[in-house]
Amino acid sequence: AQKITQTQPGMFVQEKEAVTLDCTYDTSDQSYGLFWYKQPSSGEMIFLIYQGSYDEQNATEGRYSLNFQKARKSANLVISASQLGDSAMYFCAMREALTGGFKTIFGAGTRLFVKA
Amino acid sequence: DVKVTQSSRYLVKRTGEKVFLECVQDMDHENMFWYRQDPGLGLRLIYFSYDVKMKEKGDIPEGYSVSREKKERFSLILESASTNQTSMYLCASSFRTSGRATGQETQYFGPGTRLLVL
């Protein structure tokens, strides 16, 4: 069964505008971690932001914020003031504590295109 | 900064060849991982290791093996490469954690190896 769902294969956003990338997850664990990674065309996966299931505040890292809605099991990434360099693939991922931190499950990704 | 390096960015091999992909990390991480990435499928875990000489199968281990003789190095081996193993291979490492998720389990990735098997 799909554990991480990213429903948007591709997204367009105008430079300097904000964009939300959707992510929903499925787990029965109470303790889990959620991650977002960016993959530019160079191929390297770049860690962006982390949200723990017990964290009460939404995580923020510079222009990135994670809109964590635990009851809905969603962890959307919000990028404010988009830049041309934000054009990339974005992956949502989840780590489940029950597996001892050994496995992280990734979504299929969303390709973001930032228009000048 | 965490540094994960992979031996090759691009590799072209012939069907039946034995292929070695090397990964080295310099952050003293206990856990290391090998993924393959294919369009529309995201990242799929091949093998992981949580200690020297320890290995565990991931979701798609068939056709692959791994070796971890030193803590900083994790090798992926294709014993007899096939065309369906043409893919992007990504190595990652992380601290070992257990119990409550804390963020320390964040995985850090190498630049990837694009393998083409002809």
Side-chain angles (χ1 to χ4, degrees), chain A residues 31-33 35 37 39-47 50 52-55 89 91 95 97-98 100-109, chain B residues 9 31 33 35 37 40-43 45 48 50 58-59 88 90 94 96-103 105-112 114:
Chain A
S31 179
Y32 52 89
F35 308 82
Y37 287 87
Q39 187 180 41
S41 55
S42 60
E44 186 169 358
M45 294 280 281
I46 302 167
F47 166 69
Y50 168 84
S53 59
Y54 290 113
D55 296 339
M89 280 289 285
F91 291 94
R95 173 264 191 184
L98 283 178
F102 299 143
K103 288 181 70 173
T104 300
I105 304 160
F106 288 81
Chain B
R9 293 299 304 272
N31 295 342
F33 309 81
Y35 296 88
Q37 182 182 12
L41 297 178
L43 275 70
L45 182 64
F48 60 96
Y50 52 88
D59 300 315
M88 170 74 142
L90 290 161
S94 73
R96 181 196 301 163
T97 61
S98 61
R100 183 172 168 144
T102 63
E105 64 273 25
T106 299
Q107 293 184 19
Y108 294 90
F109 285 81
R114 294 185 188 273

Side-chain angles (χ1 to χ4, degrees), chain A residues 66-85:
Chain A
L66 200 152
N67 184 1
F68 181 46
Q69 298 187 37
K70 194 169 182 176
R72 296 179 61 186
K73 293 188 176 178
S74 75
N76 299 340
L77 177 70
V78 180
I79 305 174
S80 62
S82 298
Q83 301 172 356
L84 295 178

Side-chain angles (χ1 to χ4, degrees), chain B residues 33-71:
Chain B
F33 309 81
W34 275 107
Y35 296 88
R36 65 175 282 176
Q37 182 182 12
D38 301 287
L41 297 178
L43 275 70
R44 293 180 292 168
L45 182 64
I46 304 171
Y47 267 96
F48 60 96
S49 168
Y50 52 88
D51 205 346
V52 176
K53 297 191 184 296
M54 305 299 286
K55 60 184 179 182
E56 294 286 341
K57 292 181 180 179
D59 300 315
I60 51 164
E62 297 78 18
Y64 303 95
S65 62
V66 290
S67 171
R68 191 158 181 209
E69 296 298 318
K70 294 184 179 181
K71 189 176 186 180

